[in-house]
Amino acid sequence: MRCNALVGALKRLTRTPVQHPRPAALTQRFEAWRALAPTDGRQSVRDSRLVVLDVETSGLDMKKDTLIAIGAVAITGGRIMLEDSFDMVLRQEQPSSKSNILIHGIAGGKQRSGTEPAEALMQLLEYIGGDPLVAFHVAFDQTMLEKSLAIWLQTNLKKRQWIDLAYLAPALYREHALNHRTLDDWMRVFEITNHRRHNAVADALATAQLFLCLNKKCENQGWHTLNELGTAERQYRLVRGQ
């Protein structure tokens, strides 16, 4: 029994990501970001800046796989701001597998020469500021980001509001809820084109276009604030038992 307990403890220890001390050179920038107040959820969507995020990873295992790339685009005043975007590849000690590279197209050399993870994540935090975040299937993107933020900067995004379009879309369009589950499904519904699928920035842009389509119906239903969109999403989760 004692031996089994020791083996179990060692397995848990090896699964725990090793934290890297936050570089001293980032301290001032980090503290400036941490002092920012999150956007008030009572604010209207049209009066807000929202950051639409997508990530590329070495695989789909949220425990063992790593964050490779982050793409984001901002929505301000109800418009996608192409000039206000974020595109970053994080340096990898070891590139991901060939089969994984075939999915996202980030070659091994580009992974090895990417931006140092702490610096890349610091730039992301500065890009986000205090603004709410939008993604499709938040659980994956948020978990992978939180894991990397914990390892490299010892922080998280838990104070930032997240809006998950994987739940907001079916909440608004119940007739599509049963057979439309992926981003590709909803892109087809609204005829959104993405010629660079599984590129983080391109997928963020497609997600931003989906958000604007959904927000039109939100406004027609009298949902104008960030909190109202969050409530619609949460209520649908409750209906689905998620």
Side-chain angles (χ1 to χ4, degrees):
M1 288 292 291
R2 189 179 303 170
C3 181
N4 289 339
L6 180 60
V7 169
L10 287 171
K11 285 183 177 179
R12 287 192 296 273
L13 183 62
T14 57
R15 286 200 300 265
T16 302
V18 176
Q19 286 193 339
H20 296 259
R22 186 188 310 126
L26 299 182
T27 299
Q28 187 173 357
R29 292 163 61 192
F30 179 80
E31 292 301 332
W33 169 79
R34 194 163 61 172
L36 295 172
T39 300
D40 191 328
R42 294 169 296 181
Q43 189 166 299
S44 74
V45 171
R46 287 194 175 271
D47 290 334
S48 304
R49 176 182 182 266
L50 296 91
V51 173
V52 186
L53 275 169
D54 189 82
V55 303
E56 296 300 330
T57 63
S58 62
L60 298 177
D61 189 321
M62 292 186 284
K63 288 185 178 180
K64 72 173 186 177
D65 284 312
T66 59
L67 185 65
I68 292 177
I70 308 166
V73 63
I75 295 175
T76 304
R79 295 177 57 197
I80 296 171
M81 312 302 287
L82 294 177
E83 68 276 15
D84 187 5
S85 60
F86 185 91
D87 185 10
M88 192 73 68
V89 173
L90 282 68
R91 186 183 66 78
Q92 308 294 309
E93 292 287 346
Q94 294 293 331
S96 58
S97 67
K98 291 182 179 179
S99 59
N100 176 254
I101 290 173
L102 287 174
I103 294 172
H104 52 60
I106 306 172
K110 190 169 184 179
Q111 292 184 39
R112 284 190 293 266
S113 63
T115 303
E116 289 297 321
E119 173 62 29
L121 292 164
M122 188 67 249
Q123 289 187 36
L124 175 68
L125 294 182
E126 291 170 329
Y127 174 77
I128 294 170
D131 297 323
L133 302 163
V134 178
F136 194 95
H137 283 315
V138 161
F140 184 80
D141 296 85
Q142 184 177 16
T143 299
M144 296 306 291
L145 278 173
E146 298 282 5
K147 184 170 78 168
S148 292
L149 286 167
I151 292 171
W152 296 100
L153 295 178
Q154 294 80 62
T155 192
N156 57 59
L157 290 167
K158 297 189 188 305
K159 292 184 179 180
R160 301 298 183 267
Q161 181 178 355
W162 288 81
I163 298 173
D164 194 338
L165 302 193
Y167 295 99
L168 183 61
L172 291 163
Y173 292 89
R174 298 294 178 99
E175 66 273 22
H176 295 306
L178 291 178
N179 56 355
H180 290 73
R181 299 181 182 276
T182 68
L183 178 59
D184 295 287
D185 291 335
W186 289 103
M187 284 167 58
R188 283 190 288 271
V189 170
F190 293 102
E191 299 182 348
I192 296 168
T193 302
N194 182 357
H195 296 296
R196 298 181 66 198
R197 190 72 172 92
H198 298 299
N199 171 276
V201 176
D203 286 351
L205 178 58
T207 305
Q209 292 176 72
L210 175 60
F211 176 82
L212 293 185
C213 293
L214 298 176
N215 193 50
K216 287 182 181 178
K217 188 157 187 177
C218 288
E219 291 179 337
N220 291 338
Q221 296 192 186
W223 304 341
H224 298 282
T225 69
L226 297 166
N227 281 346
E228 286 168 338
L229 268 61
T231 297
E233 177 204 320
R234 287 191 297 275
Q235 287 177 342
Y236 184 76
R237 286 177 185 269
L238 290 172
V239 169
R240 296 283 298 176
Q242 298 171 323

